[in-house]
Amino acid sequence: MDTGTGAGTGAGAAAGTPAEPEWVGLPGGLLSLRRLLLVLWMSVFALVTAVLLGLWAGLGWAALGLFWVAVAVGGWVLTARNWKSWRYAERADDLLISRGVLWHEQTVVPYGRMQLVEVTSGPLERKFGLASVQLHTAAAATDAKIPGLDPAEAERLRDRLTALGEARSAGL
């Protein structure tokens, strides 16, 4: 997988034809974290459902706790599809973020419009060696986030985006 060091500027493209950006996917740690959370929550729901229905309605009704097991199986597959849909690309003038399976969403954040780029990492993210990059612009609707990055890549991306943002905003 590409490490994301290239900016996908189109140096190898034919004259006058925009180059396809170099997309970078997310590391597998985010998928592992999301699947762990899915299994933990669905196990709790299944146990609580089975115990409560078993006590109040009888043992036959306790089998409805298996509903949450089915949700976990479906969620396992959907989580992988969602994880694969996340990617980003650094271009000469902007950052592209693409995500979504059913509803595909692509965000373009011009470097000159970035006001703040921050790296965050909660307790579970730190445990899995992950960090997120949050981009803030003047328009709240264009704020963007790239979750589940390697902390070193998140810091590199923050530093690069900050430097490019300062250089582009100076020209406005």
Side-chain angles (χ1 to χ4, degrees):
M1 178 163 55
D2 184 15
T3 59
T5 56
T9 58
T17 308
E20 180 67 24
E22 292 182 32
W23 291 101
V24 180
L26 301 181
L30 181 64
L31 178 61
S32 299
L33 172 61
R34 288 183 174 174
R35 282 182 164 172
L36 174 67
L37 291 173
L38 173 73
V39 168
L40 288 175
W41 280 109
M42 293 306 109
S43 298
V44 168
F45 290 162
L47 183 64
V48 168
T49 301
V51 168
L52 291 179
L53 287 177
L55 291 174
W56 290 339
L59 290 178
W61 288 97
L64 287 177
L66 293 176
F67 166 77
W68 297 111
V69 174
V71 169
V73 170
W76 189 271
V77 174
L78 293 177
T79 302
R81 289 189 65 199
N82 179 269
W83 169 76
K84 285 180 187 176
S85 76
W86 275 89
R87 58 190 187 157
Y88 67 96
E90 299 173 62
R91 296 195 305 184
D93 297 320
D94 51 32
L95 177 73
L96 301 175
I97 302 171
S98 179
R99 64 197 166 279
V101 177
L102 292 177
W103 286 272
H104 185 75
E105 186 176 333
Q106 190 170 51
T107 304
V108 179
V109 184
Y111 296 135
R113 300 291 181 196
M114 291 183 201
Q115 293 184 333
L116 174 68
V117 181
E118 62 183 346
V119 175
T120 60
S121 186
L124 282 175
E125 287 177 313
R126 284 193 304 272
K127 181 74 174 166
F128 279 79
L130 301 172
S132 297
V133 173
Q134 179 76 42
L135 309 165
H136 299 279
T137 63
T142 59
D143 286 359
K145 183 175 185 175
I146 305 173
L149 295 173
D150 178 67
E153 171 64 7
E155 290 175 11
R156 182 205 66 83
L157 190 58
R158 178 200 59 208
D159 294 344
R160 176 169 163 71
L161 295 176
T162 301
L164 288 169
E166 290 172 356
R168 299 295 192 279
S169 65
L172 291 179

